[in-house]
Amino acid sequence: MPPAQHRLLLIDDDRNFRRVTSLALREDGYEVIEAGNGREGLNQLQKGGIEVVLCDLNMPVMDGMEFLETKSRQSEPTPVVVITAYGSIESAVEAMRSGAFDYVTKPVNRGVLKVAIDRALEFRELREENRRLREQVAGGLQVERLLGSSEAMRDIRKMLTRLAETDVPVLIRGESGVGKELVARALHYDGPRREAGKFVVLNCAAVPADLLESLLFGHRKGAFTGATADHKGKFEAADCGTLSVSYTHLRAHETSSMISY
């Protein structure tokens, strides 16, 4: 029996199927979170702590394929086992091409489902171990490179370690020279975004106001005088990664960095 801390997310619009399957999974020692469609499933994933997702393909509001596509854009690393009706193997294969780890067919065999879950858990643990080894080779976590031994600095490092695993914008405030960009880099390179995309920096204070929009969003050749070629904006350059935007408050000497994912 697997340890109780393994948390699964079961996404299916069939309430009876969820109830029966959740009961069986809990008897096998798993903790199960339920969702009625892909959109609800994404909301549950954002709360964190989910280790494996079990997702039906045919659902209203947001089906399994759209869930996989949206999840892949968000770089959520949690493995997904898709559930499909017997005779729809083509859909399951298409789902795996879109990032699913494995699939099972309905009616779901309890033993087959357990094997698929255990394989997904092993895959997740192996990937985490590889990530830890890469960090050791690279010299450890970036957040540990933020110097300072005070209690306040230790609290900041703990908070950044937790934030690095989230998928939300972060506002970093402080005077010039305190290390806001170092914090931004730590959030990027200590989290899953490091593998998904680039870390891109933009200092708004060094950019003329009339060029800021073009730098952020890009432009096409001929869009304005001097636009001799297509230009990729910072948002596109940081796609699936991190964009760190620094700016200065007009009424104070304090500056801020906005980190967008």
Side-chain angles (χ1 to χ4, degrees):
M1 178 181 295
Q5 67 265 23
H6 288 316
R7 301 184 73 207
L8 313 179
L9 172 60
L10 175 60
I11 309 174
D12 198 296
D13 62 313
D14 187 333
R15 183 175 300 178
N16 289 331
F17 175 81
R18 292 202 314 269
R19 180 178 58 82
V20 172
T21 305
S22 295
L23 178 61
L25 291 172
R26 291 181 179 116
E27 288 177 351
D28 285 339
Y30 299 103
E31 180 181 354
V32 184
I33 309 298
E34 298 182 30
N37 56 64
R39 187 172 300 167
E40 292 180 9
L42 290 174
N43 292 335
Q44 291 292 344
L45 271 181
Q46 291 175 356
K47 297 178 182 179
I50 302 297
E51 296 177 77
V52 176
V53 177
L54 309 174
C55 182
D56 190 20
L57 286 180
N58 297 316
M59 297 179 291
V61 183
M62 178 185 285
D63 63 17
M65 290 302 300
E66 186 178 355
F67 169 82
L68 283 168
E69 293 169 0
T70 305
K71 177 179 172 295
S72 65
R73 291 197 297 269
Q74 296 178 348
S75 303
E76 172 58 52
T78 308
V80 178
V81 177
V82 298
I83 303 172
T84 183
Y86 183 77
S88 300
I89 305 302
E90 295 84 359
S91 298
V93 172
E94 182 182 355
M96 294 184 70
R97 289 173 179 168
S98 298
F101 173 77
D102 202 351
Y103 72 90
V104 295
T105 58
K106 290 183 177 181
V108 175
N109 179 283
R110 183 169 176 174
V112 172
L113 180 60
K114 185 178 185 303
V115 169
I117 293 171
D118 289 345
R119 288 182 62 247
L121 286 169
E122 291 173 2
F123 171 77
R124 177 187 174 91
E125 291 170 2
L126 179 61
R127 184 171 54 194
E128 286 298 307
E129 180 63 23
N130 288 337
R131 182 181 66 84
R132 288 191 291 268
L133 289 173
R134 287 196 300 269
E135 288 172 352
Q136 291 176 7
V137 172
L141 294 171
Q142 293 290 319
V143 69
E144 297 298 334
R145 300 184 182 185
L146 300 177
L147 302 180
S149 58
S150 66
E151 183 177 354
M153 282 301 301
R154 290 196 296 270
D155 290 341
I156 288 174
R157 284 193 287 267
K158 290 179 182 177
M159 178 178 63
L160 292 177
T161 300
R162 294 194 299 269
L163 277 175
E165 297 299 324
T166 65
D167 193 26
V168 296
V170 179
L171 177 65
I172 306 167
R173 301 180 62 184
E175 297 179 359
S176 296
V178 298
K180 295 184 297 300
E181 187 175 324
L182 290 176
V183 170
R185 286 183 180 276
L187 288 173
H188 174 78
Y189 287 105
D190 288 350
R193 294 274 170 182
R194 177 183 60 183
E195 304 293 337
K198 298 179 180 179
F199 177 77
V200 179
V201 177
L202 176 63
N203 182 4
C204 294
V207 179
D210 56 346
L211 293 181
L212 184 58
E213 181 179 354
S214 175
L215 278 175
L216 283 171
F217 302 103
H219 60 254
R220 295 289 188 183
K221 178 180 178 181
F224 53 86
T225 302
T228 58
D230 291 349
H231 172 74
K232 181 186 295 186
K234 297 293 185 181
F235 279 109
E236 185 178 356
D239 184 32
C240 294
T242 301
L243 173 62
S244 176
V245 180
S246 301
Y247 59 93
T248 303
H249 296 291
L250 296 177
R251 60 178 182 175
H253 295 294
E254 183 181 80
T255 60
S256 298
S257 290
M258 185 68 180
I259 306 174
S260 176
Y261 293 97

